[in-house]
Amino acid sequence: MIGIMGAMSLAACNQKEQKQEEPFDYTVEQFADLQLLRYKVHGFDELPLKQKELVYYLSEAALQGRDILFDQNGKYNLIIRKMLETVYTDYAGDRADSNFVNMETYLKRVWFSNGIHHHYAADKFIPGFTPEFFKKALESVDASKLPLAEGETLEELCREVFPVIFDSTVMPKRINQADGEDLVLTSAANYYEGVTQKEAEDFYASMKNPNDTMPVMFGLNSRLVKVDGKVKEKVWKSGGLYGEAIDKIIYWLKKAEGVAENEAQKAVISKLIQFYQDGDLKTFDEYAILWVKDLDSRVDFVNGFTESYGDPLGMKASWESIVNFKDLVSTKRTETISANAQWFEDHSPVDKRFKKEEVKGVSAKVITAAILAGDLYPATAIGINLPNSNWIRSVHGSKSVTIGNLTDAYNKAAHGNGFSDEFVYSEVEKGWLEKYGDLTGDLHTDLHECLGHGSGQLLPGVDPDALKAYGSTIEEARADLFGLYYLPDKKMRKLGLTPDDDAYKAEYYSYMMNGLMTQLVRIELGNNVEEAHMRNRQLIAKWAFEKGTADKVVELVKKDGKTYVKVNDYEKLRGLFGELLGEIQRIKSEGDFEAARQLVESYAVKVDADLHQEVLARYEKLHLAPYKGFVNPVYKAETDAEGRITNVTVSYTEGYAEQMLRYSKDYANLPYRNE
Ligand code: ZN
């Protein structure tokens, strides 16, 4: 499960103590609704050579999987990317022409989203260039550089692919979550081919054994297809679907295995290799258990089919990778939180039946990201909590991380951008945000990841997928509420995590402002809230707003014709968060689908059109991009005469298009069509 930054621009205004640091340009470029940043890999140069080597090999293993995600996000993505890139690099016509300029923006968005649908909102991009222009441009470049199938003409290719690019009714959404529709047939994601939602649900329902206490995550690593009228899985593994890319990943994992820090880490890597080879989900669980128990290694990584947010049924996992190493200083903070996990579980405002009697192995650390790939690139998470298997989490615990250097980059890049001056109610709230915003934002992420996701339990016999399409939103709300509830707690002060009784107000204010208003900057006028984390935040904020109306706990007030969020009673707001946490935990523990549906559909989805319009207009004047992502650093291995690595250096000068084109050239591991 991943934590995506909420009010990221807000953290802007926190003036952290500036350490003596070399100047570093955190911003790269901005287009459409996106801004590209750079992150610094603090401490990489100080790692011992063997760990640098390990990071280097794991980074290569990470980058090799890039094409998998493109294909998972839509069956034409690799073809379209290649067509666009060829015109982008080879077009000899007028590059200042608006058609070309708009095609360039479109390509940059496709790179960012790993496909033709928005990475967050999931709807298809509207191209700002004409089919006529694109056709002519394609005709003008070397045909051998185009993704033509054997014997296929450009004419035929265009006839097949142009509707996918230009016709807004073709594959309009990567993932459709509209209540009542066939979510499988209406989603463009490439996880199902020729099967209906009912067929997919029946297929997996028949695999489940309610008495199995250690069920694998069915469907995680395959595409579900219909062949000769029969529904079956095409497994992603060496020799199977995506095998070409997976073999490259294995090649680099083997190198990493050779320089592992210790036996436990070596076992993790070799089990992952085995899983990529056999595609057996039992092997995957064995790997996940080894991974969750490897706590002593400095370097760590995720590489594989991990999160299922991109599948309308929440089973199929998109491919992603992150390589990282422990930030030893900041980890002290999360260790304090996890050391007290049992206390937090025992005191949560949740019915006793839904609590864990014994919280197991919640490990937490702050990490420094070294490379991002797949579904974590360029847009990324700032916190990760894995594995996702429910039974493994309850028996073996989970590993929870917050990614310090990425949060740091967001904060530094957003400093002084005018956002809080525009949206925050008064100087009082601005003062809190400046003083505490960074810290309480980090603490909320820590509580969400280290404790929130790991808290509570399902009642015996409850299907972990019972909440279906509402599962992700409910799960994120549960973790967020756990953090919100505890931020003001005396225990936090006792543990030395918060400095005083006001600090939490910074996070409460920004959470309510974000959930009620400012996160709407990420949505186009007329659209609903779709993404699970955004739904969760609106659910919590709107629910608390509505339930507190009689007591005026939170108000929307007008000043000079502008709407502001005003929190009048922070203690009562905490009470409301606690109450909702109790209910959300009940829904999760009992698998109460109908209650989940009611809650999500009533509070999380719909948008007030007038407020939305106002927020968008105010935001537009600031010329900020609502979504951010990262360009990766570049690692270079220096070798001696025998080819042994003598040092690994890191540099930060590569541009966005430059990096994407290099990746498309060096890591083009899949055919254009994967069937
Ligand atoms: Zn989460």
Side-chain angles (χ1 to χ4, degrees):
M1 293 155 205
I2 58 173
I4 294 173
M5 195 138 201
M8 54 185 67
S9 320
L10 245 195
C13 35
N14 302 302
Q15 280 172 328
K16 251 192 191 166
E17 243 180 278
Q18 295 285 320
K19 276 177 251 157
Q20 277 297 316
E21 252 180 67
E22 280 172 47
F24 184 85
D25 193 358
Y26 287 90
T27 57
V28 179
E29 66 173 293
Q30 189 170 332
F31 51 85
D33 56 354
L34 307 170
Q35 184 183 26
L36 269 304
L37 308 175
R38 239 182 257 293
Y39 59 97
K40 199 169 184 185
V41 190
H42 309 283
F44 179 78
D45 292 334
E46 283 76 58
L47 292 177
L49 176 59
K50 207 172 157 196
Q51 290 179 11
K52 284 186 188 172
E53 212 176 332
L54 179 60
V55 168
Y56 175 73
Y57 294 143
L58 290 171
S59 297
E60 285 298 314
L63 296 172
Q64 298 291 349
R66 179 172 181 252
D67 282 357
I68 297 175
L69 182 68
F70 270 86
D71 194 72
Q72 287 181 314
N73 281 343
K75 63 189 282 192
Y76 294 101
N77 284 337
L78 289 170
I79 297 175
I80 293 171
R81 189 185 81 195
K82 182 66 181 170
M83 292 164 88
L84 291 162
E85 285 176 351
T86 306
V87 171
Y88 179 66
T89 53
D90 291 19
Y91 184 62
D94 181 6
R95 298 173 79 93
D97 176 71
S98 69
N99 268 306
F100 186 88
V101 170
N102 291 339
M103 188 212 72
E104 181 178 354
T105 303
Y106 182 85
L107 171 59
K108 285 181 173 178
R109 299 181 80 183
V110 168
W111 281 331
F112 193 96
S113 296
N114 297 281
I116 59 171
H117 299 88
H118 195 277
H119 72 288
Y120 215 72
D123 39 33
K124 196 165 84 169
F125 297 134
I126 299 161
F129 55 101
T130 64
E132 293 74 25
F133 159 79
F134 196 42
K135 180 85 186 299
K136 278 220 168 75
L138 287 163
E139 283 165 355
S140 76
V141 299
D142 181 353
S144 71
K145 290 189 179 174
L146 293 174
L148 294 163
E150 184 87 11
E152 190 184 31
T153 65
L154 178 58
E155 194 64 38
E156 287 161 345
L157 178 69
C158 293
R159 210 178 307 138
E160 184 186 9
V161 174
F162 272 29
V164 180
I165 301 174
F166 295 104
D167 184 341
S168 61
T169 64
V170 176
M171 302 173 100
K173 289 194 90 66
R174 177 166 50 80
I175 167 168
N176 181 23
Q177 303 191 88
D179 197 18
E181 292 179 25
D182 187 313
L183 305 183
V184 166
L185 288 179
T186 56
S187 295
N190 201 10
Y191 294 122
Y192 305 87
E193 183 76 51
V195 292
T196 64
Q197 181 176 352
K198 172 100 178 39
E199 284 169 328
E201 282 171 352
D202 289 350
F203 181 85
Y204 288 110
S206 75
M207 286 184 167
K208 283 181 188 166
N209 170 3
N211 301 319
D212 187 353
T213 53
M214 298 185 289
V216 299
M217 291 191 285
F218 292 108
L220 185 82
N221 66 333
S222 65
R223 186 189 294 161
L224 195 68
V225 299
K226 203 186 263 178
V227 183
D228 301 328
K230 273 200 74 166
V231 179
K232 60 172 231 172
E233 287 186 323
K234 282 191 175 172
V235 177
W236 307 323
K237 60 171 189 169
S238 178
L241 203 54
Y242 304 145
E244 302 91 334
I246 288 170
D247 286 342
K248 292 274 175 65
I249 295 169
I250 292 173
Y251 170 87
W252 288 101
L253 286 177
K254 283 190 172 154
K255 290 196 171 269
E257 194 185 3
V259 293
E261 291 172 63
N262 50 54
E263 285 307 311
Q265 186 178 57
K266 196 172 173 196
V268 171
I269 300 172
S270 81
K271 191 56 89 172
L272 178 59
I273 293 171
Q274 188 195 330
F275 169 65
Y276 274 136
Q277 285 164 339
D278 67 21
D280 185 338
L281 289 169
K282 281 262 182 239
T283 312
F284 183 73
D285 281 358
E286 288 164 21
Y287 153 74
I289 293 164
L290 289 171
W291 180 81
V292 86
K293 288 184 174 167
D294 174 19
L295 298 173
D296 296 331
S297 307
R298 178 87 191 267
V299 177
D300 203 354
F301 70 101
V302 173
N303 184 309
F305 305 105
T306 310
E307 302 288 357
S308 54
Y309 300 105
D311 171 13
L313 302 186
M315 287 185 287
K316 315 250 160 233
S318 61
W319 189 90
E320 70 179 35
S321 185
I322 177 172
V323 182
N324 63 79
F325 53 94
K326 207 185 280 181
D327 174 339
L328 300 175
V329 175
S330 305
T331 294
K332 293 227 163 63
R333 192 184 70 219
T334 53
E335 278 172 353
T336 303
I337 290 174
S338 3
N340 290 278
Q342 192 66 52
W343 187 93
F344 286 102
E345 181 76 0
D346 293 345
H347 292 80
S348 80
V350 158
D351 191 295
K352 206 166 171 293
R353 293 175 303 141
F354 310 142
K355 285 186 191 180
K356 279 202 177 97
E357 266 181 32
E358 194 191 339
V359 182
K360 281 198 188 104
V362 182
S363 81
K365 58 185 176 181
V366 179
I367 59 169
T368 302
I371 206 92
L372 304 168
D375 223 355
L376 291 170
Y377 169 84
T380 193
I382 50 159
I384 302 178
N385 183 312
L386 291 172
N388 281 333
S389 162
N390 277 301
W391 79 263
I392 295 179
R393 297 168 71 83
S394 60
V395 176
H396 299 282
S398 64
K399 237 196 265 189
S400 167
V401 303
T402 42
I403 313 173
N405 61 331
L406 300 184
T407 310
D408 190 47
Y410 281 131
N411 292 346
K412 294 238 171 67
H415 180 73
N417 66 8
F419 186 83
S420 61
D421 288 330
E422 178 59 42
F423 289 106
V424 175
Y425 178 68
S426 80
E427 293 306 319
V428 176
E429 289 86 357
K430 268 184 237 171
W432 289 333
L433 286 163
E434 266 182 39
K435 196 166 168 196
Y436 310 115
D438 252 17
L439 173 73
T440 54
D442 282 350
L443 280 173
H444 189 201
T445 309
D446 294 340
L447 289 166
H448 174 118
E449 298 293 346
C450 310
L451 304 183
H453 281 308
S455 71
Q457 63 176 0
L458 301 182
L459 292 184
V462 169
D463 178 356
D465 299 326
L467 304 181
K468 295 182 186 165
Y470 301 108
S472 299
T473 300
I474 293 294
E475 177 56 26
E476 292 312 319
R478 200 172 72 87
D480 258 1
L481 284 162
F482 199 94
L484 287 169
Y485 178 76
Y486 275 118
L487 268 179
D489 206 280
K490 293 269 179 283
K491 184 79 175 175
M492 297 293 285
R493 283 205 59 193
K494 263 193 213 141
L495 293 172
L497 295 165
T498 45
D500 55 47
D501 289 332
D502 277 340
Y504 78 96
K505 293 175 183 167
E507 182 64 11
Y508 270 35
Y509 186 80
S510 70
Y511 197 92
M512 291 305 287
M513 181 182 80
N514 187 46
L516 288 175
M517 274 178 59
T518 48
Q519 73 165 357
L520 295 176
V521 302
R522 297 170 155 215
I523 297 175
E524 277 176 42
L525 200 60
N527 287 359
N528 285 332
V529 183
E530 299 279 355
E531 199 278 335
H533 295 80
M534 286 182 74
R535 282 188 166 186
N536 128 52
R537 290 190 288 259
Q538 180 170 309
L539 193 168
I540 292 172
K542 271 210 166 157
W543 189 93
F545 175 76
E546 214 176 285
K547 297 290 164 185
T549 313
D551 296 338
K552 291 200 170 157
V553 177
V554 182
E555 290 178 284
L556 286 172
V557 298
K558 291 263 187 190
K559 244 190 337 185
D560 306 326
K562 292 177 178 177
T563 310
Y564 295 88
V565 170
K566 184 164 174 267
V567 178
N568 297 315
D569 192 330
Y570 282 88
E571 268 172 49
K572 280 201 175 129
L573 185 55
R574 186 195 182 196
L576 290 168
F577 288 151
E579 196 183 316
L580 184 57
L581 174 58
E583 171 62 3
I584 294 251
Q585 183 61 56
R586 182 198 68 75
I587 290 170
K588 170 104 181 177
S589 293
E590 294 180 352
D592 187 343
F593 174 82
E594 193 45 39
R597 196 183 71 83
Q598 285 281 351
L599 212 47
V600 174
E601 296 292 343
S602 321
Y603 295 100
V605 181
K606 284 177 212 86
V607 176
D608 175 337
D610 291 338
L611 182 61
H612 192 187
Q613 192 156 25
E614 179 198 318
V615 169
L616 287 177
R618 287 163 67 186
Y619 187 73
E620 204 185 318
K621 288 197 190 124
L622 300 173
H623 301 289
L624 301 175
Y627 300 97
K628 304 187 197 306
F630 291 97
V631 169
N632 275 322
V634 181
Y635 295 92
K636 275 220 160 61
E638 292 167 1
T639 50
D640 63 14
E642 275 87 50
R644 280 183 303 243
I645 291 182
T646 53
N647 192 19
V648 180
T649 60
V650 57
S651 68
Y652 305 97
T653 50
E654 193 165 41
Y656 176 61
E658 195 187 347
Q659 180 158 93
M660 287 297 182
L661 288 170
R662 180 170 66 87
Y663 285 179
S664 291
K665 184 163 122 306
D666 292 353
Y667 304 104
N669 292 330
L670 291 184
Y672 299 113
R673 291 158 208 272
N674 293 276
E675 271 147 22

